[in-house]
Amino acid sequence: MGVSFDKIDGAILPNFEIRPAANPTPDQERTAKLADLGFGRIFTDHMAVVRYSQAKGWHDARVESRASFTLDPATAVLHYAQEIFEGLKAYRRDDGGVNLFRPDANARRFRSSAERMAMAPLPEPVFIEAIEQIVRIDRAWIPGGDGSLYLRPFMIANEIFLGVKPSAEYIFAVIASPVGSYFKGGPAPVSIWVSETYTRAAVGGTGAVKCGGNYAASLRAQAEAIEHGCDQVVFLDAVERRYVEELGGMNVFFVFEDGSLSTPPLGTILPGITRDSVITLAKETGAVVREEPYTIDQWRADAASGRLKEAFACGTAAVISPIGKVRSASGDFTISGGAAGPVAMGLRKKLVDIQYGRAADAHNWIRKVL
Ligand SMILES: *Cc1c(COP(=O)(O)O)cnc(C)c1O
């Protein structure tokens, strides 16, 4: 206990104290739960927790029975939302082993999120070790087939204090949830609502940070999308209200008739690991990929002229989802008749094959946990 990870060398792994759940879910109950998966409602038996205080640094690294936190009503996160999170998955290979996809990229992004939110940065080896510990101890919860174990690392400000300042205490934790596919009905094309009322992020803000606050601010726009019969919302830039940024929780790509792709540039959008992987995979097919601004008017015009062949959204949860229909207060349009396109589906297959260990070249993106 009281192990400080502040001076950790990348090669030294933190020592988690393992306290297996005294009453894990019985096999039969777990099997029943795994047979009826949605997204994010079923949880495994354990969680990893590491605490931080200014005095001790990171300490008390534990894997323990999943349980509620006791939080004082004055705990900082409840008032000023100093909170960040990550999302990644563990995939069961055909040989029974388990893969993580680019967990080092999540660890890096978590660190930069912490820095932007004035939180204590968690050493990357601690982040990865916590995830691996949960995958190992809860391996029976990893679904087979096209399911996966969704891992949710997060950090909250835990100091009991109502003054506005960076917290002096934090809790880092990892929980896990077995999942089927994110969108009901699989990778069928989704419809999206263009929010002309709400924006997601401005230059200098937290658009590139994976923080709960961004999601809280997006929910009204997402509700508006649902009211208009759409699956998801797409945001425009906060200054000119013209440039397409991203969906509530996914990045976006456009595919043109000359075979090239484009995606909005980094800055106010979340730097998706799926986005980055798609850029690499698309370039390998010989396609030109541009990271450049694209306006909603150009999108509408290109869809009408047929210059735009496909549009798709991407993120860890849904992998790649073709966008079939776009609705806005100023009119609707469809992309290639609203059908899933071959580029989106081809990239999806490439990515999924790597994640499940079926690809010959995994690009060094796979970390075998088991
Ligand atoms: C997490 C997230 C994404 C997708 O990132 P991945 O690393 O690909 O999962 C995109 N947009 C937002 C707002 C996100 O929070």
Side-chain angles (χ1 to χ4, degrees):
M1 324 253 146
V3 188
S4 171
F5 299 117
D6 283 347
K7 295 173 201 79
I8 198 162
D9 176 315
I12 299 168
L13 288 179
N15 239 338
F16 277 77
E17 183 193 336
I18 315 287
R19 298 181 177 174
N23 299 301
T25 309
D27 287 350
Q28 212 180 341
E29 192 182 326
R30 188 184 61 245
T31 306
K33 284 184 169 180
L34 287 174
D36 184 22
L37 293 172
F39 186 89
R41 288 195 187 278
I42 296 168
F43 299 98
T44 64
D45 289 316
H46 297 86
M47 63 181 186
V49 180
V50 191
R51 289 173 186 267
Y52 177 90
S53 69
Q54 248 158 27
K56 291 193 193 173
W58 290 101
H59 64 281
D60 286 358
R62 274 191 204 128
V63 171
E64 57 195 19
S65 193
R66 190 176 174 281
S68 302
F69 291 125
T70 302
L71 296 180
D72 184 279
T75 301
V77 65
L78 301 177
H79 302 272
Y80 309 123
Q82 225 192 342
E83 187 269 357
I84 55 171
F85 67 96
E86 271 301 327
L88 70 164
K89 288 171 168 176
Y91 308 86
R92 195 179 285 286
R93 298 191 305 273
D94 289 340
D95 67 7
V98 178
N99 285 349
L100 287 172
F101 181 73
R102 305 187 70 180
D104 51 318
N106 295 94
R108 262 197 311 280
R109 189 169 66 189
F110 196 67
R111 228 187 131 91
S112 60
S113 289
E115 277 158 13
R116 175 61 182 84
M117 303 298 279
M119 302 171 86
L122 183 77
E124 290 163 32
V126 182
F127 179 97
I128 291 173
E129 179 66 7
I131 284 162
E132 292 199 349
Q133 291 285 355
I134 288 301
V135 168
R136 276 191 216 109
I137 199 162
D138 283 331
R139 61 188 297 174
W141 287 93
I142 307 173
D146 60 2
S148 55
L149 186 66
Y150 185 80
L151 296 146
R152 169 51 60 85
F154 63 100
M155 195 200 305
I156 59 171
N158 192 38
E159 186 177 355
I160 299 165
F161 181 56
L162 289 182
V164 180
K165 62 151 191 103
S167 175
E169 292 171 34
Y170 296 95
I171 297 174
F172 165 70
V174 183
I175 55 173
S177 172
V179 296
S181 49
Y182 189 74
F183 289 109
K184 298 175 202 96
V190 294
S191 56
I192 61 172
W193 169 252
V194 184
S195 181
E196 292 174 3
T197 312
Y198 306 105
T199 60
R200 182 184 167 273
V203 175
T206 58
V209 177
K210 218 166 169 72
C211 63
N214 286 346
Y215 279 75
S218 77
L219 295 178
R220 185 65 198 92
Q222 175 62 23
E224 203 178 73
I226 305 283
E227 282 161 21
H228 287 89
C230 294
D231 301 302
Q232 298 276 319
V233 62
V234 64
F235 289 100
L236 303 178
D237 78 281
V239 178
E240 298 190 45
R241 308 286 188 102
R242 293 165 61 214
Y243 297 105
V244 178
E245 296 242 304
E246 64 171 313
L247 275 56
M250 282 186 284
N251 297 117
V252 62
F253 278 83
F254 306 97
V255 184
F256 299 92
E257 64 182 346
D258 65 0
S260 68
L261 287 80
S262 91
T263 191
L266 297 180
T268 51
I269 63 168
L270 202 288
I273 295 161
T274 317
R275 174 188 179 278
D276 183 74
S277 308
V278 164
I279 290 173
T280 299
L281 293 174
K283 283 181 176 169
E284 279 175 10
T285 68
V288 170
V289 183
R290 294 179 302 273
E291 295 179 62
E292 69 179 13
Y294 190 61
T295 65
I296 182 67
D297 291 338
Q298 195 65 47
W299 189 358
R300 183 182 286 111
D302 288 343
S305 73
R307 181 177 166 253
L308 182 76
K309 288 295 173 203
E310 300 178 33
F312 62 85
C314 69
T316 295
V319 195
I320 285 178
S321 299
I323 297 170
K325 188 172 184 183
V326 182
R327 302 194 72 178
S328 73
S330 39
D332 302 354
F333 59 94
T334 54
I335 299 136
S336 292
V343 175
M345 299 316 283
L347 287 165
R348 183 186 164 93
K349 182 174 187 310
K350 276 195 164 66
L351 207 47
V352 169
D353 281 349
I354 292 172
Q355 290 166 339
Y356 285 87
R358 296 189 292 255
D361 179 6
H363 295 74
N364 264 328
W365 286 342
I366 292 304
R367 191 174 173 106
K368 288 187 179 183
V369 183
L370 292 163

